[in-house]
């Protein structure tokens, strides 16, 4: 029997790394037969939870209105008491502020820093640092740990690194030929082209506009660039489309928009090169691990959590952050690399990810943390 009864609190369960991690941990606890709880405002990932063991409670913890927090906390207090919860795990800054109004006298508290978070003003730092006002802090990478120690003056002994993890078993499952054919038809994808894929929500710090200039330099009619990801930021998405039009790339660059997990896996499979070229370092950047598990060629700015994942791997994957002059040459090197040579590189890379960045490793570490903190 488990010594803990945990509730994870996250604003919503629509999409994203924090949300995926919440589901992964919940499902692992369910796999062990451990009852667990999630508080969120709901979302499409809810259909992935094991309802026999996971209790989801819909509370508007996605609220940005600070004046609502005491009332939301009151609902959480009642839930904690009714379900005998002894660990509250907040996975976002908003819920960490709600936690200030929760009676934590007889419970342990954990937070996860999913990124370093931007903002240099005093008020912004105060807002971000609230995530540290808990018993134990989790950083999703060595990079995040180093940054939050420096930026928010958090005691390093209070922080535990639990890297995000890729679901190796899922990415190893063979794809159906029918599913691939249907996907190609639905999205009007030409399988005879070599695909460069940037899987990332369309937002201004992800570097889509800069990548278009690099892609233009490649000047290769056999290549096609796809942007896959959330397009809720309509003004930025339109800027990207306008630049595609202005560079006369409408036939060789497409915005597909958000894909579900299965379709994204197909897109990975079809791609020749998968890229991660944001304008600022990411806390982790899970597409790196996902792509390497599938033995794909990747090209990424070598900083932040991505640098942690690529440490010790071949330099062919790595680009100097924010240096664009020779980036098109890095692409050409990847395209032209000898198949046998890359097979060896990709095999080493895959084993590296499985050893250090698997989902199984991540969820086991969270389970151990819950056990330790509840004693």
């Amino acid at each position: 029997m488990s010594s803990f009864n945990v509730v994870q609190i996250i604003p919503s369960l629509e999409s994203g790394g924090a949300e995926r991690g919440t589901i992964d941990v919940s499902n692992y606890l369910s796999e062990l037969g451990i009852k667990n709880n999630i508080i969120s405002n709901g979302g499409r990932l809810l259909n992935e939870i094991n309802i026999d063991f996971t209790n989801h409670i819909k509370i508007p913890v996605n609220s940005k209105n600070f004046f609502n927090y005491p009332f939301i906390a009151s609902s959480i207090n009642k839930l904690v008491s009714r379900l005998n919860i002894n660990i509250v795990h907040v996975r976002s800054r908003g819920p960490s502020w709600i936690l200030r109004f929760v009676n934590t006298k007889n419970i342990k508290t954990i937070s996860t820093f999913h990124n370093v978070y931007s903002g240099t003003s005093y008020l912004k730092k105060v807002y971000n640092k609230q995530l540290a006002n808990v018993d134990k802090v989790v950083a999703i990478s060595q990079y995040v740990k180093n940054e939050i120690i420096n930026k928010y003056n958090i005691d390093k002994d209070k922080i535990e690194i639990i890297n995000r993890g890729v679901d190796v078993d899922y990415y190893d499952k063979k794809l159906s030929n029918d599913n691939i054919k249907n996907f190609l038809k639905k999205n009007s994808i030409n399988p005879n082209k070599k695909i460069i894929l940037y899987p990332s929500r369309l937002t201004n710090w992800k570097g889509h506009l800069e990548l278009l200039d690099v892609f233009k330099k490649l000047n290769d009619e056999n290549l096609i660039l796809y942007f896959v990801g959330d397009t809720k930021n309509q003004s930025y998405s339109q800027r990207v489309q306008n630049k595609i039009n202005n560079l006369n790339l409408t036939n060789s660059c497409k915005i597909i928009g958000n894909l579900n997990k299965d379709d994204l896996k197909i897109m990975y499979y079809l791609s020749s090169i998968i890229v991660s070229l944001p304008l600022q370092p990411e806390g982790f950047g899970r597409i790196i691990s996902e792509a390497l598990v599938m033995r794909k060629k990747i090209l990424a700015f070598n900083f932040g959590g991505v640098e942690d994942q690529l440490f010790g791997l071949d330099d062919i994957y790595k680009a100097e952050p924010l240096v664009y002059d020779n980036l098109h040459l890095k692409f050409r090197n990847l395209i032209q690399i000898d198949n046998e040579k890359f097979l060896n590189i990709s095999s080493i890379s895959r084993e590296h990810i499985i050893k250090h960045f698997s989902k199984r490793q991540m969820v086991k570490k969270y389970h151990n943390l819950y056990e330790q903190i509840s004693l």
Side-chain angles (χ1 to χ4, degrees), residues 59-97:
I59 297 176
V61 286
N62 61 330
S63 174
K64 303 286 188 183
N65 187 340
F66 195 87
F67 295 105
N68 287 339
Y69 288 177
F71 302 102
I72 297 170
S74 176
S75 298
I76 293 173
N77 276 327
K78 292 173 184 175
L79 184 77
V80 167
S81 177
R82 178 169 59 85
L83 297 178
N84 295 314
I85 287 167
N86 62 354
I87 299 176
V88 175
H89 179 185
V90 291
R91 286 182 169 270
S92 183
R93 290 167 292 176
S96 73
W97 278 97

Side-chain angles (χ1 to χ4, degrees), residues 94-106:
S96 73
W97 278 97
I98 296 171
L99 193 60
R100 283 180 66 95
F101 303 98
V102 173
N103 180 6
T104 59
K105 185 177 180 181
N106 297 313

Side-chain angles (χ1 to χ4, degrees), residues 26-61:
S26 172
N27 285 343
Y28 179 66
L29 296 179
S30 297
E31 183 183 318
L32 297 177
I34 298 173
K35 296 280 189 179
N36 64 96
N37 311 276
I38 298 174
I39 293 174
S40 81
N41 194 51
R44 59 188 170 193
L45 293 180
L46 267 178
N47 62 11
E48 295 187 24
I49 67 171
N50 184 329
I51 59 174
D52 292 330
F53 289 92
T54 301
N55 178 32
H56 177 264
I57 307 94
K58 187 173 182 180
I59 297 176
V61 286

Side-chain angles (χ1 to χ4, degrees), residues 154-361:
I154 303 171
D155 180 359
K156 68 179 187 303
D157 294 330
K158 189 178 182 178
I159 305 170
E160 179 164 343
I161 298 172
I162 301 180
N163 292 303
R164 278 189 181 161
V166 60
D167 188 344
V168 177
D169 293 338
Y170 172 76
Y171 286 100
D172 279 352
K173 287 179 183 173
K174 187 173 173 57
L175 290 165
S176 156
N177 287 332
D178 287 341
N179 287 346
I180 294 172
K181 288 177 183 176
N182 292 336
F183 177 82
L184 290 169
K185 184 177 180 181
K186 181 175 68 176
N187 293 283
S188 301
I189 291 174
N190 182 353
N192 298 317
K193 297 267 191 178
K194 289 186 176 180
I195 293 172
I196 295 175
L197 173 67
Y198 193 176
S200 164
R201 71 183 185 276
L202 271 75
T203 190
N204 54 15
W205 68 273
K206 291 288 190 176
H208 302 86
L209 297 172
E210 291 76 9
L211 176 55
L212 285 170
D213 290 324
V214 176
F215 184 73
K216 180 72 173 179
K217 279 186 183 180
L218 286 169
N219 191 28
D220 188 336
E221 62 182 16
N222 291 319
L223 296 177
I224 187 163
L225 172 62
Y226 283 104
F227 294 126
V228 170
D230 199 312
T231 55
K232 287 180 183 175
N233 187 336
Q234 294 181 0
S235 62
Y236 178 75
S237 299
Q238 190 57 55
R239 282 179 64 196
V240 174
Q241 186 59 58
N242 290 343
K243 186 159 186 176
I244 291 170
N245 298 340
N246 293 338
L247 291 175
N248 296 317
L249 294 174
T250 50
N251 292 325
S252 57
C253 183
K254 309 286 183 185
I255 299 172
I256 292 185
N258 209 30
L259 294 178
N260 63 37
K261 188 179 177 183
D262 293 340
D263 283 350
L264 181 58
K265 179 182 173 181
I266 294 173
M267 199 70 201
Y268 282 163
Y269 172 77
L270 295 170
S271 299
S272 294
I273 301 176
I274 298 168
V275 303
S276 173
L277 303 169
L279 304 183
Q280 62 193 52
E282 301 209 52
F284 188 74
R286 185 154 46 188
I287 65 170
I288 300 301
S289 288
E290 291 172 343
L292 292 180
V293 159
M294 291 186 71
R295 300 176 183 269
K296 305 303 296 186
K297 295 176 182 177
I298 63 166
L299 185 59
F301 282 151
N302 193 33
F303 60 178
V306 169
E307 184 177 8
D308 292 346
Q309 294 171 76
L310 295 180
F311 180 76
L313 297 184
D314 199 282
D315 287 344
I316 198 165
Y317 297 133
K318 305 168 188 176
E320 188 176 347
L322 308 181
V323 175
Y324 297 94
D325 291 346
N326 66 344
L327 200 52
H328 64 295
L329 300 179
K330 297 283 288 186
F331 275 107
R332 285 193 182 130
N333 287 341
L334 266 173
I335 292 166
Q336 296 168 1
I337 188 172
D338 177 76
N339 288 338
E340 188 173 339
K341 181 180 178 181
F342 184 71
L343 180 62
N344 183 54
I345 291 172
S346 65
S347 296
I348 293 169
S349 304
R350 174 181 157 83
E351 291 308 311
H352 170 78
I353 296 301
I354 291 171
K355 183 177 179 180
H356 298 287
F357 302 104
S358 71
K359 183 183 83 169
R360 179 62 58 167
Q361 184 189 67

